[in-house]
Amino acid sequence: MHALKKSRPLRRIVLAGAATVSGMVLLLSLKPHTAPTPASASAKPPAASGGSSPSAGSTAGAEEAFGSATGDTVQTRWGPVQVRVTVQGGRLTDVTAVQYPQDNPRDQEINGYALPQLRREALAAQSARIDAVSGATYTSDGYRQSLQSALDSAGF
């Protein structure tokens, strides 16, 4: 006799309930993809400090850029990401993550390996055109956006 015959209605109820619960758990565990967005699109980041910025009428290139600037705070799914850059002699000399997700041990673990790798890539590329770190996609996207904002503020 088949397991789901009408002679065993309780078994059918239990199996249907288990299938429904399993389906709901799988459905609720899906996480929608949302792109990181700047904290405030209208707010301007602080002006470059540590050096003079070229005047509006000047045609100064990246070779003359120097100082430091902090990029926009980018809200990611796991928390805010913000980057500060230092430019000297027309070269990107330092990149520091000012804010990044660190609320729990998993965030600390991920960013412990992702941030140094993102820093190395930014310094090597001398731009915000860097690859995302596997396992830290949201942080990588926020890092790139904040890095570009900081480079723009520094006149790089």
Side-chain angles (χ1 to χ4, degrees):
M1 186 180 281
H2 191 266
L4 296 178
K5 292 275 186 195
K6 289 185 179 182
S7 63
R8 302 217 186 246
L10 188 57
R11 183 176 286 178
R12 290 176 62 195
I13 292 170
V14 169
L15 288 175
T20 302
V21 168
S22 297
M24 291 300 293
V25 166
L26 288 173
L27 182 63
L28 294 174
S29 68
L30 291 176
K31 297 176 182 164
H33 176 74
T34 56
T37 57
S40 64
S42 62
K44 295 288 182 191
S49 62
S52 63
S53 56
S55 63
S58 170
T59 58
E63 298 83 32
E64 297 177 19
F66 65 95
S68 64
T70 303
D72 290 337
T73 300
V74 178
Q75 290 297 328
T76 69
R77 179 176 185 177
W78 304 114
V81 177
Q82 186 176 30
V83 176
R84 177 179 299 125
V85 298
T86 304
V87 177
Q88 292 178 343
R91 291 195 44 83
L92 183 60
T93 58
D94 191 28
V95 181
T96 306
V98 178
Q99 288 186 49
Y100 53 91
Q102 52 188 344
D103 294 336
N104 59 57
R106 182 69 176 143
D107 287 343
Q108 294 168 6
E109 177 187 356
I110 290 171
N111 292 317
Y113 73 83
L115 293 175
Q117 192 170 342
L118 290 166
R119 179 182 183 276
R120 279 192 302 273
E121 286 193 33
L123 291 173
Q126 292 290 301
S127 73
R129 292 187 198 132
I130 57 177
D131 291 331
V133 175
S134 179
T137 306
Y138 292 103
T139 300
S140 298
D141 290 343
Y143 192 96
R144 279 192 299 237
Q145 288 182 21
S146 184
L147 176 60
Q148 184 62 58
S149 170
L151 291 173
D152 291 344
S153 294
F156 189 75

